[in-house]
Amino acid sequence: AQSVTQPDIHITVSEGASLELRCNYSYGATPYLFWYVQSPGQGLQLLLKYFSGDTLVQGIKGFEAEFKRSQSSFNLRKPSVHWSDAAEYFCAVGISNFGNEKLTFGTGTRLTIIP
Amino acid sequence: DAGVIQSPRHEVTEMGQEVTLRCKPISGHDYLFWYRQTMMRGLELLIYFNNNVPIDDSGMPEDRFSAKMPNASFSTLKIQPSEPRDSAVYFCASSLRSSGKNTGELFFGEGSRLTVL
């Protein structure tokens, strides 16, 4: 069965600083990888996804992520964070041909932004 | 365009009572998912439907939980009888898989926060 590990439970970053959130997955075949963001009291919103092709994917809100097969990683990055980026971030892996039928989510990383 | 709509947003009930959570997916979407979110276990997939048919309910914790999708625009998740350990936020999500194309995106509702006393 597939699994996702987000090793950082909580990260604090200064506004304007760069950000990298880690995600490692375990799956025998080519995974479908996603990053979702959840603001307090809200549902999850898709930031970006990787299905195939270019291993560096761009998403909304200035986020990007890089798929590294050799490291089984899909880390999320942003060059300069804004206070509005404070939220919880979830990495997820899908296993079906269409990728979204049985998503397995990581436990999330809570991002705090300090002025 | 309306997103996924869930009701109620908050529910407080006593142990042993029946709880019904409701979901209206985005019009035209052919997949519907129920997730549960807790601090201890994170986001867990409970069940999902394709074209109103339950495909995988292996995540449903026990027989006290049941879910239905009588039509393309409505689904319910029922807990009977409820227990304090069922306290969680329950999310409904929908997605579209059209032939040859897949966005891979789940559209989530804002969740139903359930507290069982």
Side-chain angles (χ1 to χ4, degrees), chain B residues 71-116:
Chain B
N71 57 62
S73 59
F74 184 66
S75 177
T76 60
L77 178 68
K78 187 174 292 187
I79 308 172
Q80 166 63 19
S82 58
E83 297 182 4
R85 61 195 168 117
D86 302 330
S87 298
V89 181
Y90 291 81
F91 286 103
C92 177
S94 69
S95 71
L96 173 65
R97 185 179 95 182
S98 56
S99 60
K101 278 185 73 173
N102 172 45
T103 68
E105 180 171 3
L106 297 186
F107 293 82
F108 283 80
E110 293 186 322
S112 294
R113 180 176 294 278
L114 172 64
T115 302
V116 183

Side-chain angles (χ1 to χ4, degrees), chain A residues 34 36 42 49 98 101-102, chain B residues 31 56 97 102-104 106:
Chain A
F34 306 81
Y36 281 81
Q42 302 295 312
K49 60 183 184 271
F98 286 84
E101 289 178 7
K102 288 194 72 170
Chain B
Y31 279 83
D56 187 340
R97 185 179 95 182
N102 172 45
T103 68
L106 297 186

